[in-house]
Amino acid sequence: MRAERRGSTAALFGSELLTLFRRRRTVALLAALALIPVLIGVAIRLAGDAGSGRGPAFLDQITNNGLFVGVTAIIVAIPLFLPLTIGVVAGDTIAGEASHGTLRYLLIAPAGRLRLLAVKYLSAGVFCLAASLTVVVVGTLVGWALFPIGPVTLLSGSTVSVGEGLLRLLGIAAYVCVSLLGLSAIGLFLSTLTTVPVGAMAATAILAVVAQIIGALPQLDWLHPWLFSEHWLGFADLLRDPVQWASFADNALLQAGYILVFGALACGRFLTKDILS
């Protein structure tokens, strides 16, 4: 019996992933994210170095080492573009099915409500990883094509090989993915509150902006440690030697708290919700 449930859950998860990544909207979101490092690389290639201290962090390093295109692109994407795409996907998880009239059919055995909710969240988590990797991988490829590639000078002043630099870039993508899981849980919960997916999408994106505005106000510094966006830029510690893993652990713990709280709220709402469509 358990084997059958696992098999049905895996099949449902696989079907959900295929549906998600076959949508034109998902492809368009990933293409928009891929455009960020392309624009950065082409602009620097055509216009030249902007000079030290101007623009996003690591921008002045790109002409010396193309691997920094991916890092700069992540810094540009994480305040707005990544949360916006995550808001679209997470906000559509349940509300999208309800608006299309397919939610009732998805809940037919063997897919129960909790199982469907878990599958929807896991699919949103996979998109978080895909979105982060898109920015980093495309940025690395653009940097490789347009600029010289060599050993990476870290924030601590030491130098690592190209291979280790690439591994650290993958680590940054993983860090950013974890950073977005809390926002995904919020989006999932909001998606259970409505049958209008646009409302859940917009609310999720707005909350991401509000959290960052609060995080920029020193008058509210007592609230900063509780904001899901507090450690979003902490991946810079992966560019130190040795790597400072404390920020990664703090970020993962914070996101886990948001997942537990908003996951529980989503379960409570979804289990008691009348499914009319």
Side-chain angles (χ1 to χ4, degrees):
M1 192 68 173
R2 290 183 179 178
E4 291 180 0
R5 286 186 177 181
R6 291 174 183 171
S8 63
T9 301
L12 182 62
F13 180 51
S15 175
E16 180 63 26
L17 286 181
L18 286 175
T19 301
L20 174 62
F21 286 98
R22 282 178 176 174
R23 287 175 180 162
R24 293 181 180 179
R25 180 179 61 198
T26 304
V27 175
L29 291 174
L30 293 176
L33 291 174
L35 192 60
I36 295 172
V38 172
L39 290 176
I40 292 174
V42 171
I44 297 298
R45 182 65 178 175
L46 295 178
D49 194 350
S52 179
R54 300 181 61 187
F58 303 107
L59 186 66
D60 56 342
Q61 301 293 325
I62 290 177
T63 54
N64 298 322
N65 195 332
L67 292 181
F68 284 106
V69 173
V71 181
T72 305
I74 274 287
I75 293 173
V76 171
I78 201 168
L80 177 61
F81 299 106
L82 278 168
L84 181 61
T85 59
I86 300 307
V88 170
V89 172
D92 188 61
T93 47
I94 301 299
E97 300 290 356
S99 68
H100 288 102
T102 55
L103 186 56
R104 180 187 300 175
Y105 300 102
L106 285 174
L107 293 176
I108 297 175
R113 295 195 180 200
L114 286 179
R115 193 178 309 178
L116 177 62
L117 206 61
V119 165
K120 288 289 187 179
Y121 180 72
L122 288 175
S123 299
V126 172
F127 180 82
C128 291
L129 180 59
S132 304
L133 284 173
T134 295
V135 177
V136 170
V137 171
V138 173
T140 301
L141 294 176
V142 169
W144 209 299
L146 299 180
F147 303 100
I149 297 293
V152 179
T153 301
L154 303 176
L155 293 175
S156 54
S158 58
T159 302
V160 298
S161 65
V162 172
E164 184 173 342
L166 292 173
L167 289 176
R168 289 178 185 248
L169 284 174
L170 290 177
I172 289 174
Y175 183 100
V176 172
C177 172
V178 172
S179 299
L180 297 170
L181 293 179
L183 182 62
S184 295
I186 295 173
L188 178 72
F189 167 62
L190 294 175
S191 189
T192 65
L193 300 178
T194 180
T195 59
V196 182
V198 174
M201 296 174 189
T204 305
I206 290 172
L207 283 175
V209 174
V210 170
Q212 292 176 85
I213 292 175
I214 294 175
L217 298 176
Q219 295 85 348
L220 298 175
D221 57 355
W222 58 272
L223 190 57
H224 294 175
W226 303 98
L227 297 173
F228 57 82
S229 58
E230 172 67 8
H231 300 290
W232 275 6
L233 295 176
F235 58 79
D237 286 341
L238 295 175
L239 295 176
R240 303 184 189 277
D241 189 23
V243 174
Q244 303 296 314
W245 293 106
S247 60
F248 200 110
D250 291 341
N251 184 40
L253 183 61
L254 178 63
Q255 303 307 322
Y258 272 90
I259 292 170
L260 288 175
V261 172
F262 284 93
L265 290 173
C267 289
R269 168 60 180 168
F270 196 49
L271 287 176
T272 58
K273 182 177 182 179
D274 291 331
I275 307 300
L276 303 176
S277 58

